[in-house]
């Protein structure tokens, strides 16, 4: 478990360094996905499987897809097709693929080994999170819904360029 | 009681946050600034998860859920703002957006 934690943590740091030093947006996004997956595995080794699933679904799923949309939308142009062909050469995929493969092997080893977690590790179940969320934190849930509504209206208003 | 690797996990959160901060300060492309902000928010969530795992309470994971909500709305608004800036300034350089009412 400790080895899994340190492996995932080093992959997270390495891929994050590669994110902020990459010159190309798409390459940085590939490493960003690897970094978020590594952090999700760190969550799993810390006994927070629910948060790990949410990290993969929301961060590595939704938010990175939005960023990919942004990068692809902003690079429209005559040279975009040529540039995209240059981006997607096979050697670009080697780095993220190796890191993801290490993460995958680590996850498989964690899932197949029956001792999920050190015996002293407290595993927080999704039931506990749900009970806390809709018990003492119900006001914060309402505030989060208002925040999401404000973000929805604001994004619609800002992205609507035909108005003025 | 030695529960989770507390100090290394907090150090990981610190390193990721510092990397995100360096990204915000160093990069001048709006897309990279948005990515670095996501990295910083993610590191904050990691710190909360570490705290939840250390004390065995669900509160840290609840706060992590709110950080997820915040990150999602932040990236949606940031995307719309970047599209507007690109539309108006025809560049993604954040140094070009240096005029209020510009």
């Amino acid at each position: 478990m400790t080895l899994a934690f340190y492996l995932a943590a080093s992959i997270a740091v390495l891929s994050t360094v590669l994110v902020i030093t990459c010159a190309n947006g798409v390459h940085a996004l590939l490493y960003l996905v690897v970094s978020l997956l590594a952090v999700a595995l760190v969550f799993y080794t810390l006994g927070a499987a629910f948060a790990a699933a949410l990290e993969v679904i929301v961060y590595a799923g939704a938010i990175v897809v939005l960023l990919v949309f942004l990068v692809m939308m902003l690079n429209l142009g005559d040279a975009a097709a040529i540039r995209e062909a240059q981006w997607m050469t096979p050697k670009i995929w080697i780095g993220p693929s190796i890191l993801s493969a290490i993460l995958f092997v680590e996850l498989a080893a964690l899932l197949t080994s029956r001792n999920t977690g050190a015996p002293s590790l407290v595993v927080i179940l999704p039931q506990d999170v749900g009970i806390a969320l809709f018990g003492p934190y119900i006001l914060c849930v309402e505030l989060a819904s208002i925040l999401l509504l404000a973000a929805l209206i604001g994004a619609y208003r800002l992205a609507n360029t035909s108005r003025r | 009681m030695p529960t989770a690797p507390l100090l290394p996990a907090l150090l990981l959160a610190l390193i990721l946050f510092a990397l995100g901060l360096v990204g915000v300060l160093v990069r001048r492309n709006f897309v990279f600034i948005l990515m670095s902000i996501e990295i910083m928010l993610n590191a904050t969530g990691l710190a909360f998860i570490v705290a939840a795992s250390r004390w065995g309470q669900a509160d840290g994971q609840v706060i992590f859920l709110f950080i997820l909500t915040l990150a999602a709305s932040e990236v949606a608004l940031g995307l719309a703002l970047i599209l507007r800036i690109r539309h108006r300034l025809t560049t993604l350089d954040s140094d070009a957006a240096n005029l209020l009412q510009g």
Side-chain angles (χ1 to χ4, degrees):
Chain A
M1 190 52 90
T2 315
L3 176 67
F5 170 79
Y6 282 112
L7 194 55
S10 49
I11 289 179
V13 171
L14 178 64
S15 52
T16 308
V17 169
L18 287 170
V19 167
I20 66 171
T21 54
C22 230
N24 193 314
V26 174
H27 303 171
L29 275 172
L30 286 176
Y31 283 113
L32 182 63
V33 173
V34 175
S35 165
L36 295 174
L37 290 178
V39 172
L41 206 52
V42 168
F43 286 174
Y44 186 77
T45 61
L46 288 175
F50 181 53
L54 280 180
E55 170 94 7
V56 173
I57 294 169
V58 178
Y59 262 108
I63 291 179
V64 170
V65 165
L66 274 182
L67 287 170
V68 168
F69 265 132
L70 182 67
V71 170
M72 292 299 173
M73 205 187 300
L74 294 180
N75 285 293
L76 288 180
D78 47 352
I82 306 167
R83 209 181 307 146
E84 203 157 336
Q86 289 171 352
W87 285 350
M88 294 305 163
T89 51
K91 83 176 162 61
I92 295 307
W93 295 93
I94 290 177
S97 301
I98 290 173
L99 292 178
S100 311
I102 296 173
L103 283 177
F104 180 73
V105 168
E106 192 183 341
L107 180 63
L110 276 178
L111 285 181
T112 50
S113 70
R114 287 320 311 166
N115 53 350
T116 53
S120 58
L121 189 64
V122 181
V123 175
I124 297 169
L125 297 174
Q127 290 97 303
D128 304 331
V129 180
I131 288 170
L133 198 59
F134 288 99
Y137 288 98
I138 186 69
L139 186 63
C140 292
V141 175
E142 302 291 340
L143 285 176
S145 72
I146 292 176
L147 175 70
L148 283 176
L149 180 65
L152 176 68
I153 295 172
Y156 174 72
R157 177 68 186 87
L158 282 173
N160 195 355
T161 52
S162 65
R163 191 72 58 84
R164 39 169 118 163
Chain B
M1 64 181 191
T3 49
L6 177 67
L7 188 62
L10 280 182
L11 271 180
L12 173 66
L14 177 68
I15 291 172
L16 287 183
F17 190 88
L19 283 175
L21 188 61
V22 167
V24 170
L25 294 178
V26 169
R27 303 306 297 258
R28 293 270 65 88
N29 190 319
F30 276 119
V31 181
F32 283 94
I33 290 176
L34 205 57
M35 274 188 230
S36 304
I37 291 174
E38 292 303 320
I39 292 170
M40 289 165 72
L41 282 173
N42 195 25
T44 318
L46 174 63
F48 276 106
I49 292 290
V50 172
S53 159
R54 171 63 181 81
W55 277 281
Q57 301 287 325
D59 301 73
Q61 295 202 21
V62 171
I63 302 295
F64 175 71
L65 279 179
F66 294 138
I67 291 177
L68 271 185
T69 315
L70 182 67
S73 44
E74 177 261 332
V75 78
L77 277 180
L79 195 143
L81 278 173
I82 289 174
L83 284 181
R84 284 303 290 259
I85 289 171
R86 162 83 174 185
H87 189 248
R88 178 167 294 205
L89 297 178
T90 66
T91 179
L92 278 177
D93 189 1
S94 65
D95 283 339
N98 55 0
L99 287 179
L100 291 178
Q101 296 250 341

